């Protein structure tokens, strides 16, 4: 066991997944701008909460999967515990530190809006830990995608709107659904890649339950449906059609998935899905703001 380097800690935070936490804040802020009630320091603090919480989730998963031995035969990016470059207690401390920092930042937002946000934040932290932590992690029970849709879609977008507008216009919910679907697409691609190793380790993700074929169909649906929402939103908000410019970015990863890419061949899909999510989110935010 050696001491993990800074670059290894950065890799362990899984930088490619971080847009999943920031895109909802961008979209929620777009809704707030459209309502004429954007509060920039609150938006920045919401982004900080989301980012730190995401890093905490990643370290928490690294720790929990590592001590279970789930990551010993892994195809994807570096895992600190699984690769034995950091001690489990160090990774656990990093995860808990991130959760604590996110809680402090969230406390500020709750103090200036409503204390009910503390309950939302507590559920978010519990969901982050029990995804792969505890005796019966729900991520091992095919519930990961539901959690991602709820917390990286509905809660993140609607919460960002609320802390600025102090209300929830219908556009917040309408924008939250496609953002949640794209966040799910990222997880589906990850779990599709890991089906062989997850089956061996007993990790029953939704991909394991659905099987290879239907998981690929699910990915394609998650990547395509957000553009249907753009068309639905266009009647009251025609500027959101600008988000359709991101549609070509959905083609390369969807083709790889539907053409049967496996193992390491699916790693580029994660990056391409992340870029799709960023482009779609930014363009949708611009359309909603206008």
């Amino acid at each position: 066991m050696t001491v993990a380097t800074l670059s290894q800690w950065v890799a362990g935070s899984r930088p490619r997944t971080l847009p999943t936490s920031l895109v909802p804040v961008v979209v929620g802020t777009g809704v707030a701008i459209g309502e004429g009630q954007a509060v920039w320091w609150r938006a920045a603090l919401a982004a900080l909460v989301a980012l730190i919480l995401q890093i905490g989730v990643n370290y928490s998963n690294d720790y929990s999967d590592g001590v279970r031995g789930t990551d010993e035969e892994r195809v994807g990016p570096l895992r600190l515990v699984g690769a034995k470059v950091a001690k489990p207690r160090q990774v656990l401390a990093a995860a808990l530190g991130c959760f604590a920092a996110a809680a402090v930042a969230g406390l500020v937002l709750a103090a200036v809006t409503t204390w009910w946000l503390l309950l939302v934040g507590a559920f978010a932290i519990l969901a982050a830990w029990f995804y792969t932590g505890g005796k019966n992690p729900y991520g091992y029970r095919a519930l990961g995608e539901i959690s991602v849709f709820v917390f990286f879609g509905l809660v993140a977008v609607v919460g960002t709107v609320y802390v600025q507008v102090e209300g929830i216009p219908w556009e917040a919910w309408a924008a939250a659904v496609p953002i949640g679907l794209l966040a799910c697409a990222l997880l589906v691609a990850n779990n599709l890649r890991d089906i062989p190793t997850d089956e061996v380790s007993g990790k029953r993700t939704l991909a394991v339950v659905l099987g290879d074929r239907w998981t690929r169909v699910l990915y394609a649906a998650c990547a395509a449906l957000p553009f249907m929402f753009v068309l639905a939103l266009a009647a009251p908000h025609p500027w959101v059609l600008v988000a359709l410019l991101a549609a070509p970015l959905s083609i390369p990863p969807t083709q790889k998935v539907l053409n049967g890419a496996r193992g390491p061949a699916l790693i580029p899909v994660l990056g391409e899905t992340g870029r799709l999510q960023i482009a779609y989110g930014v363009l949708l935010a611009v359309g909603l703001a206008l």
Side-chain angles (χ1 to χ4, degrees), residues 259-280:
N259 288 338
R262 300 176 184 277
L266 283 167
I267 294 176
V269 171
L270 297 176
E272 291 167 347
T273 305
R275 288 189 287 274
L276 167 63
Q277 185 184 35
I278 293 170
Y280 179 92

Side-chain angles (χ1 to χ4, degrees), residues 54-191:
Q54 174 67 60
I55 295 173
V57 169
N58 291 340
Y59 284 144
S60 173
N61 293 347
D62 191 309
Y63 166 78
S64 298
D65 283 342
V67 296
R68 282 190 174 89
T70 307
D71 287 339
E72 290 181 358
E73 300 293 335
R74 185 171 179 79
V75 176
L78 173 74
R79 292 295 185 95
L80 296 166
V81 177
K84 297 182 171 59
V85 298
K87 295 180 180 179
R89 67 173 181 270
Q90 294 173 332
V91 179
L92 175 60
L96 296 179
C98 288
F99 292 154
V104 171
L107 182 62
V108 176
L109 287 174
V112 298
T113 53
T114 174
W115 292 107
W116 282 103
L117 282 181
L118 294 180
L119 185 61
V120 176
F123 275 117
I125 291 174
L126 289 173
W129 172 255
F130 286 106
Y131 175 61
T132 56
K135 293 183 179 180
N136 295 294
Y138 67 85
Y140 284 40
R141 298 292 182 269
L143 296 173
E145 281 77 5
I146 293 177
S147 178
V148 164
F149 179 79
V150 170
F151 288 100
F152 289 98
L154 304 183
V155 172
V157 175
V158 173
T160 298
V161 174
Y162 183 83
V163 298
Q164 297 179 71
V165 176
E166 296 194 35
I168 306 176
W170 69 268
E171 290 88 347
W173 296 107
V177 173
I179 295 303
L181 288 171
L182 287 174
C184 285
L186 200 61
L187 181 60
V188 170
N190 182 80
N191 289 343

Side-chain angles (χ1 to χ4, degrees), residues 21 25 201:
S21 62
V25 178
S201 64

